[in-house]
Amino acid sequence: MRKLYFARHGQTVWNVENKICGATDIALTEQGHEQAMELGRLIAEGDYQIDQILYSPLVRAADTARHIHRVTGIPLREEVRLKEQNFGKWESTPRDGAQFRAAKAQFVNRNQGGESMMQMAQRIYNLLDELRGEPEARTYLLVAHNGIARIVQSYFTDMTNEEFAAFGIGNCQVLAYEW
């Protein structure tokens, strides 16, 4: 059975401030760098057998992937489709705001200049279909964002709309999936 791993980037200032990062390019905090290095050590010492790291071009995910690479030596490649959703007018607003929670349930809405949930799901599902269909069985670690984690989870797991909207993972948390 082939495996796929997903890790969210390390902590950012906007994570600490409870703001929506989205497509805004926010750097890691010092703790975020430390979390990424610790994740690299966890992977190096564990039984992951990862062939390649694919990472989002946003600096918080790219730096997390580079830290993992430095510790593990696993080859890495930027994958633009792993970029977080552009939340449009919601970027930099409180993540627990009632209006944003309601907007997240509107899968077709582009939030005034952003990207819809359906558009994001299409690009992530296309990427996952490509990886799954590769003739050579490779194990990947995707390093990206909480919104991407939600889409990946929905690819592998049946979810209600409420479960989908509520799903999230912590900074530098790793999830494992099997094809």
Side-chain angles (χ1 to χ4, degrees):
M1 182 118 311
R2 293 170 31 167
K3 288 195 172 190
L4 175 79
Y5 295 98
F6 182 93
R8 183 180 176 199
H9 60 78
Q11 180 191 73
T12 69
V13 173
W14 281 12
N15 293 151
V16 173
E17 295 175 352
N18 198 38
K19 291 182 180 178
I20 299 164
C21 296
T24 305
D25 213 3
I26 303 298
L28 297 175
T29 62
E30 192 58 42
Q31 181 177 343
H33 287 284
E34 291 170 12
Q35 289 171 329
M37 289 183 284
E38 179 59 31
L39 177 56
R41 287 188 288 275
L42 175 82
I43 290 170
E45 295 167 4
D47 186 30
Y48 288 87
Q49 301 177 14
I50 296 166
D51 296 304
Q52 189 173 40
I53 300 168
L54 304 181
Y55 64 92
S56 161
L58 294 176
V59 69
R60 58 193 184 267
D63 283 351
T64 300
R66 288 183 194 109
H67 284 305
I68 296 167
H69 165 75
R70 282 185 202 105
V71 174
T72 65
I74 298 170
L76 45 80
R77 173 172 54 99
E78 182 180 289
E79 173 52 69
V80 69
R81 290 175 287 184
L82 290 173
K83 187 176 183 178
E84 179 63 292
Q85 180 178 3
N86 181 333
F87 290 104
K89 70 179 184 175
W90 303 109
E91 300 268 324
S92 83
T93 66
R95 33 181 344 92
D96 56 1
Q99 290 178 325
F100 174 65
R101 281 196 314 266
K104 272 179 39 178
Q106 305 304 313
F107 295 160
V108 181
N109 191 334
R110 293 187 183 138
N111 302 305
Q112 297 178 6
E115 175 184 31
S116 75
M117 193 73 65
M118 291 181 79
Q119 289 171 312
M120 179 175 61
Q122 178 184 15
R123 66 181 159 87
I124 298 303
Y125 277 31
N126 287 348
L127 171 62
L128 294 172
D129 285 345
E130 285 176 25
L131 297 178
R132 183 179 191 175
E134 288 181 347
E136 183 182 336
R138 301 181 79 187
T139 298
Y140 291 97
L141 169 64
L142 308 181
V143 179
H145 312 275
N146 204 32
I148 304 300
R150 189 175 297 116
I151 299 295
V152 172
Q153 181 75 7
S154 75
Y155 183 90
F156 288 96
T157 307
D158 287 337
M159 304 170 82
T160 65
N161 289 347
E162 293 78 17
E163 290 168 333
F164 178 84
F167 184 83
I169 65 173
N171 295 110
C172 286
Q173 181 180 347
V174 179
L175 301 176
Y177 301 95
E178 292 184 350
W179 300 104

